[in-house]
């Protein structure tokens, strides 16, 4: 009988503005298991609950999930609208990174369940957070499902491509940092160093790269992320 080790580390998925349950660890089972086997306690900040500094205290890894609600241009977007990241939330995440934290920011052009569903008109709201770190998501969508690895880096170890959900990733630009994976359509993954305390931001074009794509292709990538975060 193998059991997961005692919790020695903590991962926080911030779904404060992610109404779709299937775009959270509720369906990111492979990532959850990988973290559990590495001794992580996996926490979730649910939709509608603003993230605070107390939520991030002691976290070794934080994932900011896309802004997405159920009303959409494919239905009736006027029913209600998620307000997106509040200044206090952005400040809390920025302080977490500048004090040495590891933050992942993601985005999504559509709502994902077991496949791609309605369009996400709130994709641009992710820039309110991402721009604090020099990351700007563009008004475009990747058509390809695989991004080529651009450089040798511990996060890209044993990888030749990074998997994305077709027609869902949103290309972005960076002011400075390391471009890790891209296609001819734009950057799919990049690492940005923040502050003098060793803070890092890993920007991903597609939330499907985390685990909502239904593919195990990126399990090695997530093992690399865990090793990178836990290494001295």
């Amino acid at each position: 009988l193998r059991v997961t080790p005692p919790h020695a580390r903590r991962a926080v998925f911030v779904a404060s503005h992610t109404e779709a349950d299937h775009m959270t660890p509720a369906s990111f089972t492979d990532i959850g298991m990988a973290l559990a086997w590495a001794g992580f306690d996996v926490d979730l900040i649910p939709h509608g609950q603003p993230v605070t500094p107390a939520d991030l205290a002691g976290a070794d890894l934080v994932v900011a999930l896309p802004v997405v609600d159920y009303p959409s241009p494919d239905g009736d977007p006027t029913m209600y609208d998620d307000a997106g990241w509040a200044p206090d939330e952005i400040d809390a995440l920025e302080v977490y990174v500048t004090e040495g934290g590891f933050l992942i920011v993601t985005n999504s052009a559509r709502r994902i369940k077991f496949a791609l569903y309605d369009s996400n008109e709130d994709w641009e709201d992710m820039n309110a957070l991402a721009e604090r770190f020099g990351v700007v998501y563009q008004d475009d969508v990747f058509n390809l499902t695989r991004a080529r690895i651009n450089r040798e880096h511990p996060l890209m170890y044993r990888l030749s491509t990074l998997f994305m959900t077709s027609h869902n990733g949103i290309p972005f630009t960076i002011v400075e940092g390391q471009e890790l994976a891209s296609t001819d359509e734009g950057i799919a993954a990049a690492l940005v160093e923040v502050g003098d305390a060793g803070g890092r931001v890993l920007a991903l074009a597609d939330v499907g790269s985390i685990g909502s794509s239904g593919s195990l292709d990126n399990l090695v990538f997530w093992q690399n992320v865990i090793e990178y975060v836990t290494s001295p």
Side-chain angles (χ1 to χ4, degrees), residues 196-221:
D196 299 324
R200 302 287 189 276
V201 174
L202 174 61
L204 299 176
D206 176 33
V207 71
S209 296
I210 293 180
S212 58
S213 60
S215 170
L216 294 178
D217 291 14
N218 282 349
L219 186 56
V220 171
F221 170 64

Side-chain angles (χ1 to χ4, degrees), residues 108-162:
S108 186
R110 304 183 72 87
R111 179 171 65 88
I112 304 177
K113 191 173 182 182
F114 304 112
L116 291 179
Y117 285 80
D118 41 341
S119 301
N120 176 23
E121 81 283 4
D122 295 319
W123 68 266
E124 195 170 5
D125 290 348
M126 203 65 193
N127 280 335
L129 172 62
E131 286 179 351
R132 287 285 184 99
F133 310 107
V135 177
V136 181
Y137 288 96
Q138 306 295 299
D139 189 8
D140 200 359
V141 178
F142 281 104
N143 294 306
L144 301 175
T145 59
R146 294 184 182 275
R148 61 182 176 273
I149 304 305
N150 294 335
R151 64 171 65 222
E152 292 186 2
H153 191 279
L155 290 171
M156 301 290 111
Y157 179 59
R158 297 175 296 167
L159 292 174
S160 59
T161 58
L162 181 69

